[in-house]
Amino acid sequence: MGEYQPDSRSVRPAGTADRAGSRWLRQTRGFTVRYARELFRNKGVLFWTIGFPTGFYLITILTAIPSEVPSAETATMKAGMAISFGTFGAIIAALNSFCEQLGADLEDDRYTLFRSLSIAPTADFAGRLIAGTVLVLTAFLAVIPVALLTGAEFSLASPLAPAVVAVALVPFAVFWMVVAIGVAVSVGNERYASIITVSLALVAYMLTGYNGTDPSSYHGPEFLLNLMPHTLATRLITDQLVADGVLTPPAVPETMIGLALLTVVGAVSLTVGIVVVRTQLYERSVIP
C-alpha cells in the first residue's frame, strides 16, 4: 500500500484561519464605523430616539401626575416613568432607526454590490448590531439626566445594578434589531419600513402598559409581562434602579432568572438574524 497523500485542496495553508479571522474583524470594524456614522449623523434618527422619548416623558410628568401626590412618591413615580420612556426610546432606536437604515441600503441596491465582494455576511450583521446597540444605550441613557433635573429619584438595588441594566439591554436590543431586519427585508422600502416600525413600537409600548410598568394600562395575562422581551427587560431595569412600589404585578423574576431568559431570547434572535442576513440579504446558504 502506498503512502497516503492528502488532497491539497483539503489542507489549509498555515495562517489561513488567522488571516480569515483578521479579515472578519476588519470588515466588522468597517461596517460598525459606517453604520454608526450614518445613525448618529442622521437628525431624524436623533429626534426619534432621543428627542421624542424625552419630550414624551416631560409631557407625561406634567399632565399625568396628580398634584395631591406627596413629593417623595412623585420622585419615585418620575424615576419609574423615566425608565419606561428610556426603554421606549431604546425600542425606537433598535426597531425604527435600524430598519430605516437597512431599508435605505436595500432601496439603493447596495446589497447587489455587497454580494459581488468578498464580504462575510456575519461581519455586516455584527457591525450593524454593534452600532445599533450603541444607539440603543444612548437612547436609554438620554432620558435619565432629564429625569434627574425634574426631581426623579433613583435607587440602586445593589452595586451591580448598572451592570445588570447593561446586560439586560443587550439581548433586548438584539431582539428588536432582528425584528427590524425582518421588516426591512419584507418591505424593502425605507419610507414604508419607517411607518411600520414606528407603529409597531408604539403598539408594543401602549398595549403592554408602557412596557409593563403601569398597572392601570395593561389588561392582559400578567405572566406575559415577565416573558415578553421588552416588558421583562424594562421591569428588570426598573427593579434595579427604582425603589419598590412602581411596578404592576406579577413580581419581577429573580435577577439571574430574568437575565437568563433575556439571554435565551438574545441567542435565538441572533441565530434567526444570521440566517436571514445570509439567505435573504446575501443569497447564500446558512452553512458554511
Side-chain angles (χ1 to χ4, degrees):
M1 180 179 292
E3 184 178 359
Y4 172 69
Q5 296 294 331
D7 185 346
S8 60
R9 291 172 299 179
S10 66
V11 179
R12 283 186 173 183
T16 299
D18 291 341
R19 287 198 296 273
S22 177
R23 184 170 63 247
W24 189 88
L25 289 175
R26 288 198 304 274
Q27 291 182 359
T28 300
R29 183 169 58 248
F31 277 116
T32 302
V33 171
R34 179 201 171 216
Y35 296 137
R37 284 177 176 167
E38 289 186 358
L39 287 172
F40 284 91
R41 288 178 177 175
N42 189 316
K43 294 179 181 177
V45 166
L46 296 180
F47 168 78
W48 283 108
T49 58
I50 297 175
F52 182 59
T54 302
F56 209 168
Y57 164 78
L58 292 172
I59 292 173
T60 302
I61 64 169
L62 288 174
T63 59
I65 298 180
S67 57
E68 62 271 19
V69 176
S71 58
E73 191 174 334
T74 299
T76 303
M77 291 175 64
K78 288 178 179 177
M81 289 179 178
I83 302 300
S84 174
F85 284 105
T87 52
F88 172 64
I91 293 176
I92 291 286
L95 186 57
N96 176 254
S97 303
F98 192 86
C99 185
E100 192 173 331
Q101 183 189 50
L102 179 56
D105 283 343
L106 291 171
E107 200 172 346
D108 293 340
D109 277 337
R110 289 197 178 93
Y111 275 92
T112 302
L113 172 63
F114 289 172
R115 292 185 200 112
S116 68
L117 301 175
S118 180
I119 291 176
T122 51
D124 180 358
F125 184 46
R128 285 190 184 276
L129 290 185
I130 294 170
T133 301
V134 172
L135 183 66
V136 165
L137 295 175
T138 302
F140 173 76
L141 293 174
V143 182
I144 304 300
V146 176
L148 289 171
L149 291 175
T150 61
E153 288 185 5
F154 296 90
S155 175
L156 299 183
S158 74
L160 293 177
V164 172
V165 172
V167 172
L169 281 173
V170 172
F172 166 95
V174 171
F175 169 78
W176 285 110
M177 284 189 279
V178 171
V179 173
I181 291 175
V183 173
V185 169
S186 301
V187 176
N189 179 284
E190 179 183 1
R191 180 182 174 189
Y192 291 130
S194 178
I195 295 171
I196 291 172
T197 50
V198 167
S199 303
L200 187 57
L202 283 169
V203 167
Y205 183 65
M206 296 296 182
L207 290 186
T208 56
Y210 305 109
N211 283 350
T213 59
D214 186 347
S216 65
S217 303
Y218 177 73
H219 305 288
E222 292 181 352
F223 71 92
L224 287 179
L225 297 179
N226 286 337
L227 291 179
M228 292 184 283
H230 61 304
T231 55
L232 174 57
T234 304
R235 290 160 59 80
L236 273 177
I237 294 170
T238 304
D239 187 55
Q240 293 293 314
L241 299 183
V242 185
D244 293 337
V246 297
L247 285 174
T248 180
V252 179
E254 292 293 330
T255 303
M256 295 309 296
I257 294 176
L259 291 180
L261 288 172
L262 287 173
T263 301
V264 171
V265 169
V268 172
S269 302
L270 199 60
T271 303
V272 172
I274 290 173
V275 171
V276 172
V277 168
R278 287 189 66 90
T279 60
Q280 302 301 312
L281 296 181
Y282 283 86
E283 298 180 351
R284 297 178 187 175
S285 61
V286 176
I287 299 176

